[in-house]
Amino acid sequence: MNILLLGGSNAGLRDGWAAHFQRLASEHHVQNSFLGAVGSLFGLVRLLKMRQERAPLPDLIIYEYTLNDILLFNAGSLRAEILADTLHAVTNFCAQSNIRLLFLCLEPLYASRPSVVGGASRVRRRYARVAKTHAMTPCIWLCDALDAEATSDSYRDSNHLAVDVSECVAAFVLAIVRDRPIAVPRS
């Protein structure tokens, strides 16, 4: 299977979840197309560019921008309506192209702090609502991969996962890819 990873800096760390995923998923062709400090709108632009260039399309996209979307939302650089429109456009792109889509939803360390929690919960709700609306495989949340809430030990800094947590996330995502049918979103 051809798998495309679209995400922020956690997908780009040389010992991050994507690097571990590529190593573990040796039976698949995995392309990592990350860019740090950007949100889901950049992921949509990457997909539209693939279409424009008539590039080969993957069988599955693992889309990991939730953490950056939370940071952008809390900084006032992203509105909930823009996020929703972007996620619907991504799912429609995948539906029209018959590409399976999985949202990997990481969060910053301080997502539960009062100054961040409002934005974090609004972003979480948008992702979950879009996945449900388009009959997708449910979002993969960091707490699902860890089977517990993240703690400060789960991070190397406020936005980047620790190496052992990255390994755990990669193994969890790969288990879902191997064991569950990942849905093509409904348009």
Side-chain angles (χ1 to χ4, degrees), residues 19-72:
H20 293 293
F21 183 87
Q22 285 179 292
R23 182 179 46 80
L24 294 170
S26 58
E27 72 272 27
H28 302 291
H29 176 264
V30 181
Q31 178 187 347
N32 187 356
S33 190
F34 76 93
L35 183 63
V38 298
S40 54
L41 188 56
F42 184 78
L44 174 60
V45 170
R46 283 265 166 111
L47 294 176
L48 296 175
K49 185 177 180 193
M50 288 175 71
R51 178 181 286 155
Q52 180 183 26
E53 294 176 348
R54 300 184 197 287
L57 298 176
D59 302 306
L60 168 65
I61 295 172
I62 300 173
Y63 200 80
E64 182 261 307
Y65 288 105
T66 312
L67 185 148
N68 289 358
D69 286 337
I70 291 169
L71 297 174
L72 291 168

Side-chain angles (χ1 to χ4, degrees), residues 29-169:
H29 176 264
V30 181
Q31 178 187 347
N32 187 356
S33 190
F34 76 93
L35 183 63
V38 298
S40 54
L41 188 56
F42 184 78
L44 174 60
V45 170
R46 283 265 166 111
L47 294 176
L48 296 175
K49 185 177 180 193
M50 288 175 71
R51 178 181 286 155
Q52 180 183 26
E53 294 176 348
R54 300 184 197 287
L57 298 176
D59 302 306
L60 168 65
I61 295 172
I62 300 173
Y63 200 80
E64 182 261 307
Y65 288 105
T66 312
L67 185 148
N68 289 358
D69 286 337
I70 291 169
L71 297 174
L72 291 168
F73 190 89
N74 285 332
S77 301
L78 178 64
R79 291 193 341 256
E81 300 79 21
I82 299 293
L83 176 59
D85 288 348
T86 300
L87 295 176
H88 285 298
V90 168
T91 55
N92 286 328
F93 176 93
C94 290
Q96 294 164 3
S97 304
N98 198 37
I99 299 170
R100 291 174 274 174
L101 177 62
L102 189 58
F103 289 152
L104 173 57
C105 299
L106 306 179
E107 298 178 311
L109 170 59
Y110 303 113
S112 60
R113 282 194 177 167
S115 62
V116 180
V117 74
S121 64
R122 290 184 74 184
V123 170
R124 281 186 211 117
R125 282 195 310 268
R126 293 287 179 194
Y127 272 86
R129 189 176 302 140
V130 168
K132 185 175 182 178
T133 299
H134 292 273
M136 291 172 52
T137 301
C139 299
I140 299 174
W141 304 99
L142 181 57
C143 61
D144 297 332
L146 298 178
D147 202 25
E149 291 299 318
T151 66
S152 59
D153 291 338
S154 304
Y155 293 83
R156 58 180 92 192
D157 60 40
S158 60
N159 298 320
H160 299 99
L161 300 178
V163 175
D164 60 327
V165 172
S166 294
E167 288 175 315
C168 186
V169 168

